[in-house]
């Protein structure tokens, strides 16, 4: 079956799910109870590795990432994050700045528009280091089963890449587990299907500056738009007042072959700690 078949199937699934869903969560900030909130949040994340459009780094790197995010009642949001490699090296490797706007598109559907700028160190070996800019359009319609579609355009050092991601998840929510009215547990098993071009992957593997590390690995990546990966994730978020902790397990299954590389299914672990400086 060719890539047009898979793309059609992806969009049909998204259309079917959007037609059946009902609203429950805020698109720009899933911790918010209402779009009228003004929020300022600090987060500190640990990542056991990164993936880009479903493709994993060839060299496994572990990261710490502090970030600050602001959400306005108008729908405007912005965030700044630093990323530090802690294994196998020890250095700050990335800085990201994002801004955007979320809004209602229907009575029971929300959308967002955003731009992100990524800056990497000259020594960076991250798979996404050639992707310096991203425009994203997202739309979701919440319900018992919640679908969300993300349309992304990446551009930077090489040819631009286009990606479409369909997330489908269900929320299991439990309130007041240990307090009368201040804590909440949210478990959201998620299936993600990603279709994309992978020009950045070819550039990453063939970049002469990485030749000594990559040993000029040959590639067999079709940069045409096609299915790139399937991802299964299980985030578990616990909120207590202004504090948040969220461990997450992700299992990524790449669907494109890369010769002489270890691009196979892998499982990752993330841990996020957060604190709301402002929530009013």
């Amino acid at each position: 079956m060719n890539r047009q078949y898979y793309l059609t199937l992806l969009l049909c699934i998204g259309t079917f799910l959007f037609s059946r869903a009902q609203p429950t969560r805020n698109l720009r900030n899933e911790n918010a109870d209402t779009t009228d909130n003004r929020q300022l949040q600090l987060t500190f994340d640990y990542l056991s590795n990164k993936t880009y459009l479903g493709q994993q780094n060839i060299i496994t790197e572990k990261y710490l990432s502090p970030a600050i995010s602001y959400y306005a009642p108008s729908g405007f949001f912005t965030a700044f994050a630093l990323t530090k490699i802690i294994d196998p090296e020890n250095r700050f490797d990335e800085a990201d700045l994002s801004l955007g706007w979320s809004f209602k598109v229907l009575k029971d559907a929300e959308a967002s528009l955003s731009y992100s700028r990524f800056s990497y160190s000259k020594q960076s070996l991250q798979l996404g280091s050639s992707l310096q800019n991203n425009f994203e359009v997202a739309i979701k319609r919440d319900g018992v089963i919640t679908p969300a579609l993300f349309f992304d355009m990446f551009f930077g050092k090489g040819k631009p890449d286009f990606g479409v991601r369909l997330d489908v998840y269900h929320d299991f929510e439990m309130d007041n587990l240990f307090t009368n009215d201040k804590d909440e547990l949210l478990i959201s098993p998620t299936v993600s299907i990603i279709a994309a071009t992978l020009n950045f992957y070819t550039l990453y593997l063939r970049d002469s500056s990485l030749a000594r590390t990559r040993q000029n690995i040959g590639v067999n990546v079709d940069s045409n738009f096609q299915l790139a990966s399937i991802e299964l994730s299980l985030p578990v978020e616990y909120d207590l007042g202004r504090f948040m902790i969220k461990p997450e397990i992700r299992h990524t299954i790449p669907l494109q072959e890369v010769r002489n590389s270890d691009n196979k299914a892998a499982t990752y672990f993330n841990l996020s700690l957060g604190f709301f400086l402002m929530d009013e």
Side-chain angles (χ1 to χ4, degrees):
M1 288 179 279
N2 58 30
R3 60 178 179 275
Q4 286 84 4
Y5 170 83
Y6 287 116
L7 177 59
T8 302
L9 178 62
L10 174 70
L11 295 178
C12 286
I13 292 173
T15 302
F16 172 76
L17 290 169
F18 270 85
S19 69
R20 297 174 62 86
Q22 299 297 327
T24 59
R25 301 203 312 186
N26 183 350
L27 180 64
R28 70 177 185 271
N29 180 13
E30 294 180 358
N31 294 313
D33 295 325
T34 171
T35 56
D36 294 330
N37 281 16
R38 185 183 305 277
Q39 299 180 327
L40 183 65
Q41 184 183 31
L42 288 175
T43 56
F44 192 79
D45 296 342
Y46 165 80
L47 301 91
S48 65
N49 201 5
K50 284 188 177 183
T51 59
Y52 302 85
L53 294 175
Q55 313 305 305
Q56 62 178 303
N57 279 340
I58 291 179
I59 291 181
T60 299
E61 295 177 322
K62 295 179 173 60
Y63 306 89
L64 292 179
S65 180
I68 185 168
S69 306
Y70 173 75
Y71 309 90
S74 64
F76 171 79
F77 58 91
T78 185
F80 177 75
L82 294 173
T83 299
K84 183 178 182 180
I85 300 173
I86 58 174
D87 183 57
E89 301 178 79
N90 188 5
R91 70 167 188 273
F92 282 98
D93 195 60
E94 180 184 351
D96 303 335
L97 177 65
S98 303
L99 56 89
W101 177 50
S102 66
F103 51 93
K104 290 281 188 180
V105 290
L106 295 171
K107 180 180 179 181
D108 54 0
E110 298 171 86
S112 69
L113 305 173
S114 64
Y115 166 76
S116 299
R117 171 69 181 181
F118 315 116
S119 299
Y120 295 88
S121 70
K122 294 181 179 180
Q123 299 81 24
S124 181
L125 298 178
Q126 291 193 58
L127 180 58
S129 57
S130 65
L131 303 176
Q132 300 173 333
N133 304 274
N134 169 238
F135 286 105
E136 182 178 85
V137 177
I139 182 169
K140 80 170 184 177
R141 201 173 177 186
D142 295 330
V144 175
I145 296 179
T146 299
L149 273 174
F150 302 83
F151 301 89
D152 290 277
M153 176 64 73
F154 295 93
F155 58 96
K157 297 179 181 178
K159 293 181 180 179
D161 280 297
F162 176 69
V164 178
R165 187 175 88 245
L166 170 65
D167 289 353
V168 180
Y169 60 88
H170 173 70
D171 287 337
F172 296 91
E173 185 173 352
M174 290 165 276
D175 298 327
N176 308 326
L177 290 177
F178 306 109
T179 68
N180 291 330
D181 60 356
K182 292 184 178 181
D183 70 329
E184 176 183 77
L185 181 67
L186 184 67
I187 304 173
S188 306
T190 304
V191 177
S192 301
I193 303 172
I194 301 171
T197 60
L198 298 179
N199 294 310
F200 75 96
Y201 208 151
T202 302
L203 180 63
Y204 171 77
L205 294 174
R206 290 177 176 171
D207 193 325
S208 60
S209 67
L210 305 180
R212 288 176 296 175
T213 302
R214 302 290 174 258
Q215 298 178 351
N216 291 319
I217 294 175
V219 296
N220 183 25
V221 174
D222 186 351
S223 62
N224 293 325
F225 184 80
Q226 60 183 307
L227 276 181
S229 69
I230 296 175
E231 183 172 282
L232 309 176
S233 59
L234 183 63
V236 179
E237 179 178 332
Y238 178 72
D239 298 314
L240 177 61
R242 291 177 178 259
F243 292 92
M244 178 272 292
I245 181 170
K246 183 168 73 172
E248 179 180 8
I249 295 290
R250 295 184 298 115
H251 183 70
T252 299
I253 307 169
L255 300 178
Q256 297 207 31
E257 296 181 359
V258 180
R259 188 172 65 251
N260 299 331
S261 72
D262 192 27
N263 193 32
K264 59 185 180 181
T267 301
Y268 307 101
F269 174 75
N270 298 339
L271 177 64
S272 181
L273 304 176
F275 177 74
F276 283 97
L277 299 173
M278 178 191 304
D279 188 7
E280 57 188 28

